[in-house]
Amino acid sequence: MGYGVSDFVGGVASRRVAALRVVIVSYPFSFVIVLIVAPFVGGQISWVPILWGLASGVAGGLAVWWFYLALASGPMAVVSPLTAVLVAGIPVVAGFAIGERPGALAFVGIALALIAVLLVSKESPDDTTGEVAGGREMKFTPTVAWLTVGSGVTFALAFICLHQIGDGSGLWPLAASRASATAVVWCVALASGHFTLPHGSVLKLAAFVGILDVVANAALLYAYQGGLLSLVSVIASLYPAATVLLAMVMLGERVGRLQQVGMVVALGAVGLIALG
């Protein structure tokens, strides 16, 4: 829910300013929040979890950068669902590789969840077709393909790194993750000439995204401590359902039939995974 609501709020802000201007505020703000909360949560600071946290942040920062570049040049109807499936599928493969063996019902739930992610990530009828934008044709070129695959893989790696942190470190690895992610997006913004802070309502939205980022990543960190990489990652990857639902309720956007089916399938998938 945290990831889905964050994407919705970030999407609203990104309709007013460039998306990169939102994350250069939300990431450091989330870092500050974690630093304030972490001492009250406790946990021992040790190098291995901190390094996994740093790796997660670098992967997440690169993923966001490449994802936005892909969306800027390619058709969203292809880029978004392909990225989502990679984010959901790669941790499942990694979980099996390290010896995780969910129950039979969970296997069915995983399969349904992958289908649900693909369906929910499809464009709604209110979106553009993705073929033409700004007077130019949006093609799925080899460059866009590499950016899409790269963003999906790095998002998945960020999930896997969070899983490797383990328990006993509190929120300190998450602080390291937010610090390295901030470094990545700031370097990108400076290099591309987009390091301009938003103001007014957009600044407030960016701060809210930062709060949601902490909630989502902290929840995922603790979920990994009590669950399998393959199962937790798939459930977390269903976050587009929350984004679509909010867009429908708050913005009055029409939801396509496939997206509606995807949200129903997602609920069934979560139930099967829980039972399995």
Side-chain angles (χ1 to χ4, degrees), residues 156-203:
L157 288 176
F159 276 19
I160 293 171
C161 289
L162 282 179
H163 174 265
Q164 294 300 315
I165 289 173
D167 54 6
S169 300
L171 293 179
W172 296 113
L174 184 58
S177 172
R178 298 303 85 196
S180 58
T182 299
V184 170
V185 296
W186 276 18
C187 288
V188 171
L190 288 170
S192 60
H194 287 95
F195 198 91
T196 305
L197 297 179
H199 53 81
S201 61
V202 177
L203 182 61

Side-chain angles (χ1 to χ4, degrees), residues 126-139:
D126 285 344
D127 293 329
T128 62
T129 62
E131 294 300 326
V132 178
R136 62 190 180 90
E137 190 174 0
M138 308 294 281
K139 296 182 178 180

Side-chain angles (χ1 to χ4, degrees), residues 73-93:
S73 304
M76 186 180 296
V78 179
V79 172
S80 182
L82 179 55
T83 301
V85 169
L86 288 171
V87 175
I90 292 176
V92 172
V93 176

Side-chain angles (χ1 to χ4, degrees), residues 149-270:
V149 172
S151 64
V153 170
T154 45
F155 271 128
L157 288 176
F159 276 19
I160 293 171
C161 289
L162 282 179
H163 174 265
Q164 294 300 315
I165 289 173
D167 54 6
S169 300
L171 293 179
W172 296 113
L174 184 58
S177 172
R178 298 303 85 196
S180 58
T182 299
V184 170
V185 296
W186 276 18
C187 288
V188 171
L190 288 170
S192 60
H194 287 95
F195 198 91
T196 305
L197 297 179
H199 53 81
S201 61
V202 177
L203 182 61
K204 295 178 182 178
L205 290 173
F208 188 36
V209 170
I211 296 173
L212 292 168
D213 178 78
V214 173
V215 172
N217 283 285
L220 188 62
L221 178 63
Y222 285 114
Y224 279 133
Q225 294 175 10
L228 300 180
L229 170 64
S230 52
L231 301 187
V232 173
S233 296
V234 167
I235 294 176
S237 298
L238 294 172
Y239 66 85
T243 307
V244 171
L245 185 61
L246 282 172
M248 179 178 64
V249 174
M250 302 297 293
L251 302 180
E253 292 186 1
R254 290 182 297 144
V255 177
R257 185 62 57 85
L258 289 178
Q259 288 177 305
Q260 295 176 16
V261 172
M263 287 189 282
V264 174
V265 172
L267 291 175
V270 172

Side-chain angles (χ1 to χ4, degrees), residues 36-37 65 67 72 162 226 231 243:
I36 294 174
V37 175
W65 176 31
F67 184 60
L162 282 179
L231 301 187
T243 307

